[in-house]
Amino acid sequence: MPMALLLSACGGGGSGGVGPFLPPPTVTVTDRRILVAPGVSLHVRDWQSNRVDGITFVLLPGFGANAQHFNSLAPALAKRGRAVAISCRGFGRSDKPLPDATHRYDTQTLVDDVHAVLEALGIPCIVLGGHSLAGNQVTLFAGRYPQRVRGLIYLDNAFDYSKVPRSDEESPLLAEPEPTPADTASLSSMIAFFKRVNRNWSAAMEADLIDKLEVLPDGGVRWGTPVTIRTAMSEAGYAFSPDYTLVHVPGLVLTALPGDRRDMFPWLPATLDAETEQAANEAILLFNRVRPQDTARLFAALPPGSQQATFQPATHADFFIENEVALLSLIDGMGW
């Protein structure tokens, strides 16, 4: 579809930015449950402002995360119009049906869910952003529903996850530690554990963690998402190969690169043995050589008008929180 028709279908090509003489927009958030399939309702956070002529941003969290991960970025985007963050099926406060012939966790099903949310909310056109593995959903949605998309935001995504080495192929010396029974004894001890194994910690990350957990009668906690769901979604996501030829709107490609091992392996102690130190340094050098090449492939596959930017030093999990001001400036510069 020609770009002019796409913009017309989306209600024009204005940027939705806040003018210098307008009062600051007010933003309110509503938590919703939206039925997307028989027996499956999703938790949706909906930030709305009094900028009724602005852009609606829809944000999809990366694998394992949920809508709360965008508690900082989303209200900032909502000042430009509206922002909606969706916890996909199986995660956060959304329903968690076990995988079977009816309940699937492949990229196609997750995109169907996003479309069902937009239909339920009566949202005709969006800028769609996805973090990490959710980049698959961004690309597929843009190809399947071109009339609904005016722009895309790729938040540190791979070009094709089916060609990316899995984390279980990394050195065991660098593996992120699992919480111990002492860590899962209470919600507060679990939060303390994750504060130790992350370089940064924020209210958004804490809210995301809380929505991942189930509090047990004895006060202990466990993961709320069954392993079978995590496995099904991970396998489907890493098997999906996106078709960028169907994307006809410009995208903003954002990449996070580590500066040192605190960015990539924040759980490692300050002092390491020689073998672990060497493994960490080699992993960072390899990542910083290969990752920009992968990003370049993604950027080259997108239509004219797309932009790219790299944040370094940065961490994959929270670069869009830590660098929010710069990211918002880039989004405003897209002219959507």
Side-chain angles (χ1 to χ4, degrees), residues 15-75:
S15 69
V18 178
F21 303 111
L22 295 177
T26 56
V27 175
T28 59
V29 61
T30 303
D31 286 288
R32 308 181 185 277
R33 290 199 66 84
I34 295 179
L35 184 70
V36 296
V40 183
S41 293
L42 303 188
H43 173 222
V44 176
R45 305 213 81 201
D46 185 0
W47 290 264
Q48 297 190 46
S49 75
N50 54 355
R51 291 297 314 282
V52 295
D53 61 337
I55 298 172
T56 295
F57 296 87
V58 173
L59 302 173
L60 309 178
F63 176 70
N66 55 71
Q68 305 279 11
H69 203 183
F70 294 114
N71 279 0
S72 180
L73 178 61

